[in-house]
Amino acid sequence: MPGLKNRVVVVTGAGGGLGRAYALLLARAGARVVVNDLGGARDGSGEGTAMADQVVAEIEGEGGQAVANYDSVATAEGARAIVGTALDTFGAIHGVVNNAGILRDTAFHKMTDADWEAVQQVHLFGAYHVTRAAWPHFREQGHGRVVMASSTSGLYGNFGQSNYGTAKAALVGLVNTLALEGAKYNILANAIAPMAATRMTEDVAPAELLAKLPAEQVAPIVGYLLTDECTDSGTVVVAGGGQIHRVQLFQSAGVTFPTTPTIDDVAAQWARITDMTGAVPGVNPVG
Ligand code: NAI
């Protein structure tokens, strides 16, 4: 089996849903897992220890190694404590799966600052804080694996999820740069847009669709991205229901104007500018 044995992996939001499936599979593959979960409700309210404890008990019941952590990913202090749990318990940290998440869905014209900020704090700032706390250890040991939980809502948009989709797309932006900065140190950063039946999706998709989307089917791709053998970085995959697809940004052949175009010039060429025939993967021209 590809290398995960004794690797120490933090899975945030692992007290239920996808995170639980990731934690269980990683432990079965021999990884030592920090099962982090704040233990609150889907909208981020409340907290508790039972969710993380339950998953640790399941892993230990199967003979695996895990430790619970109940801190919130949403603050730098919480994230340092999460990474600290890995270091204190297992003496190392080799990977983080930034999976913790909440939902505050509402149409954009009804969006409140509180609902906007709460979602950014958990998804975007949470992934930043936890990865930032682990990063020096990854650099020092010349090994690190980062997996971000993105979403098709961020990649493609979704009605009522402007706050959530923004955070999820931002994580792809973070992965793009972490992949560049981590390359020299064997630190890989990738993003996954999962699709699974969990408490997050229980009332947003039809039951017959959800029945085909068990969380367990997403876990192997996360496991693979954490292995020693994986060499891909900056990759985004959509995974669920037994299917795994890569998603990539492409750039059209476009139009080159010899001099600064007028608005009329742009309008006249718009069809050619936006024609994706012969498009190629986008690269940063100044990178
Ligand atoms: P879930 O609600 O079952 O899991 C999220 C977990 O994160 C919960 O156990 C929750 O207690 C925990 N959490 C929330 N705030 C936290 C915080 N501040 N600190 C630590 N833990 C916290 O939902 P699900 O579906 O398992 O989602 C997992 C990830 O996958 C999320 O990031 C979600 O946005 C993403 N995702 C899920 C999809 C799906 O189809 N289920 C689709 C696209 C993305």
Side-chain angles (χ1 to χ4, degrees), residues 4 144-148 188 190-192 219-228 230 232-233 235 237:
L4 273 165
R145 299 286 183 266
V146 179
V147 180
M148 304 290 186
L188 310 182
N190 294 289
I192 171 168
I221 177 65
V222 172
Y224 172 70
L225 293 171
L226 292 162
T227 59
D228 295 354
C230 180
D232 276 310
S233 201
T235 305
V237 291

Coordinates of all heavy atoms in Angstrom, one line a residue, residues 4 144-148 188 190-192 219-228 230 232-233 235 237:
L4 N 1.5 5.6 4.0 CA 0.8 6.4 5.0 C 1.1 6.0 6.4 O 0.8 6.6 7.3 CB -0.7 6.3 4.8 CG -1.3 7.3 3.8 CD1 -2.7 6.8 3.4 CD2 -1.4 8.7 4.3
G144 N 5.5 17.4 3.5 CA 4.2 17.9 4.0 C 3.2 17.7 2.9 O 3.4 17.7 1.7
R145 N 2.0 17.4 3.4 CA 0.8 17.2 2.5 C -0.3 18.0 3.0 O -0.7 17.9 4.2 CB 0.4 15.7 2.5 CG 1.5 14.7 2.0 CD 1.7 14.8 0.5 NE 2.7 13.9 0.0 CZ 4.0 14.2 -0.2 NH1 4.5 15.4 0.1 NH2 4.8 13.3 -0.6
V146 N -0.9 18.8 2.1 CA -2.0 19.7 2.4 C -3.2 19.3 1.5 O -3.0 19.3 0.3 CB -1.7 21.2 2.3 CG1 -2.9 22.0 2.6 CG2 -0.5 21.6 3.2
V147 N -4.3 19.0 2.1 CA -5.5 18.8 1.2 C -6.6 19.8 1.7 O -6.9 19.9 2.9 CB -6.1 17.4 1.3 CG1 -7.3 17.2 0.5 CG2 -5.0 16.4 0.9
M148 N -7.1 20.6 0.8 CA -8.2 21.6 1.1 C -9.5 21.0 0.6 O -9.6 20.5 -0.5 CB -8.0 22.9 0.3 CG -6.6 23.5 0.5 SD -6.5 24.2 2.1 CE -5.0 25.1 2.0
L188 N 3.3 19.2 -0.8 CA 2.3 19.2 -1.8 C 1.0 19.8 -1.3 O 0.6 19.5 -0.1 CB 2.0 17.8 -2.3 CG 3.2 16.9 -2.6 CD1 2.7 15.5 -3.1 CD2 4.1 17.5 -3.7
N190 N -3.1 20.2 -2.5 CA -4.1 19.9 -3.5 C -5.5 20.2 -2.9 O -5.7 20.3 -1.7 CB -4.0 18.5 -3.9 CG -2.7 18.1 -4.6 OD1 -2.5 18.5 -5.8 ND2 -1.8 17.5 -4.0
A191 N -6.5 20.3 -3.8 CA -7.8 20.6 -3.4 C -8.8 19.6 -3.9 O -8.6 19.0 -5.0 CB -8.3 22.0 -3.8
I192 N -9.8 19.3 -3.1 CA -10.8 18.3 -3.5 C -12.2 18.9 -3.3 O -12.4 19.6 -2.3 CB -10.7 17.0 -2.7 CG1 -11.8 16.1 -2.9 CG2 -10.5 17.3 -1.2 CD1 -11.6 14.7 -2.4
A219 N -13.1 9.2 0.4 CA -12.0 9.1 1.3 C -10.7 8.6 0.5 O -9.6 9.1 0.8 CB -12.3 8.2 2.5
P220 N -10.8 7.7 -0.4 CA -9.5 7.2 -1.0 C -8.7 8.3 -1.7 O -7.5 8.2 -1.8 CB -10.0 6.1 -1.9 CG -11.3 5.6 -1.4 CD -11.9 6.8 -0.8
I221 N -9.4 9.2 -2.4 CA -8.7 10.2 -3.1 C -7.9 11.1 -2.1 O -6.8 11.5 -2.3 CB -9.6 11.1 -4.0 CG1 -8.8 12.2 -4.7 CG2 -10.8 11.6 -3.4 CD1 -7.7 11.8 -5.7
V222 N -8.6 11.4 -1.0 CA -7.9 12.2 0.1 C -6.7 11.4 0.6 O -5.6 11.9 0.8 CB -8.8 12.6 1.2 CG1 -8.1 13.2 2.4 CG2 -9.9 13.5 0.7
G223 N -6.9 10.1 0.8 CA -5.8 9.3 1.3 C -4.6 9.3 0.3 O -3.5 9.5 0.7
Y224 N -4.9 9.2 -1.0 CA -3.9 9.1 -2.0 C -3.1 10.4 -2.0 O -1.8 10.4 -2.0 CB -4.5 8.9 -3.4 CG -3.4 9.1 -4.5 CD1 -2.4 8.1 -4.6 CD2 -3.4 10.2 -5.3 CE1 -1.4 8.3 -5.6 CE2 -2.4 10.4 -6.2 CZ -1.4 9.4 -6.3 OH -0.4 9.6 -7.3
L225 N -3.8 11.6 -1.9 CA -3.1 12.9 -1.9 C -2.2 13.1 -0.7 O -1.3 14.0 -0.7 CB -4.1 14.0 -2.0 CG -4.9 14.1 -3.3 CD1 -6.1 15.1 -3.1 CD2 -4.0 14.4 -4.4
L226 N -2.3 12.2 0.3 CA -1.5 12.3 1.5 C -0.3 11.4 1.5 O 0.5 11.4 2.4 CB -2.4 12.1 2.8 CG -3.4 13.1 3.1 CD1 -4.5 12.6 4.0 CD2 -2.8 14.4 3.7
T227 N -0.3 10.5 0.5 CA 0.8 9.4 0.6 C 2.1 10.0 0.2 O 2.2 11.1 -0.4 CB 0.5 8.3 -0.5 OG1 0.4 8.9 -1.8 CG2 -0.8 7.6 -0.1
D228 N 3.2 9.3 0.6 CA 4.5 9.6 0.2 C 4.7 9.6 -1.3 O 5.5 10.4 -1.9 CB 5.5 8.6 0.8 CG 5.5 8.7 2.3 OD1 4.9 9.6 2.9 OD2 6.2 7.8 3.0
C230 N 2.5 10.2 -3.7 CA 1.9 11.3 -4.5 C 2.9 12.4 -4.8 O 3.6 12.8 -3.9 CB 0.7 11.8 -3.8 SG -0.2 13.1 -4.7
D232 N 1.8 15.0 -7.2 CA 1.0 16.1 -7.8 C 0.8 17.1 -6.8 O 0.6 16.9 -5.6 CB -0.4 15.5 -8.3 CG -0.3 15.0 -9.7 OD1 0.3 15.6 -10.6 OD2 -0.7 13.8 -9.9
S233 N 0.8 18.4 -7.3 CA 0.6 19.5 -6.4 C -0.2 20.5 -7.2 O 0.0 20.7 -8.4 CB 1.9 20.0 -5.9 OG 1.7 20.8 -4.7
T235 N -3.3 20.5 -7.8 CA -4.4 19.8 -8.5 C -5.7 20.0 -7.8 O -5.8 20.0 -6.6 CB -4.0 18.3 -8.7 OG1 -2.7 18.2 -9.2 CG2 -5.0 17.6 -9.5
V237 N -9.5 18.2 -7.7 CA -10.3 17.1 -8.2 C -11.7 17.2 -7.6 O -11.9 17.7 -6.5 CB -9.7 15.7 -7.8 CG1 -8.5 15.5 -8.6 CG2 -9.5 15.6 -6.3

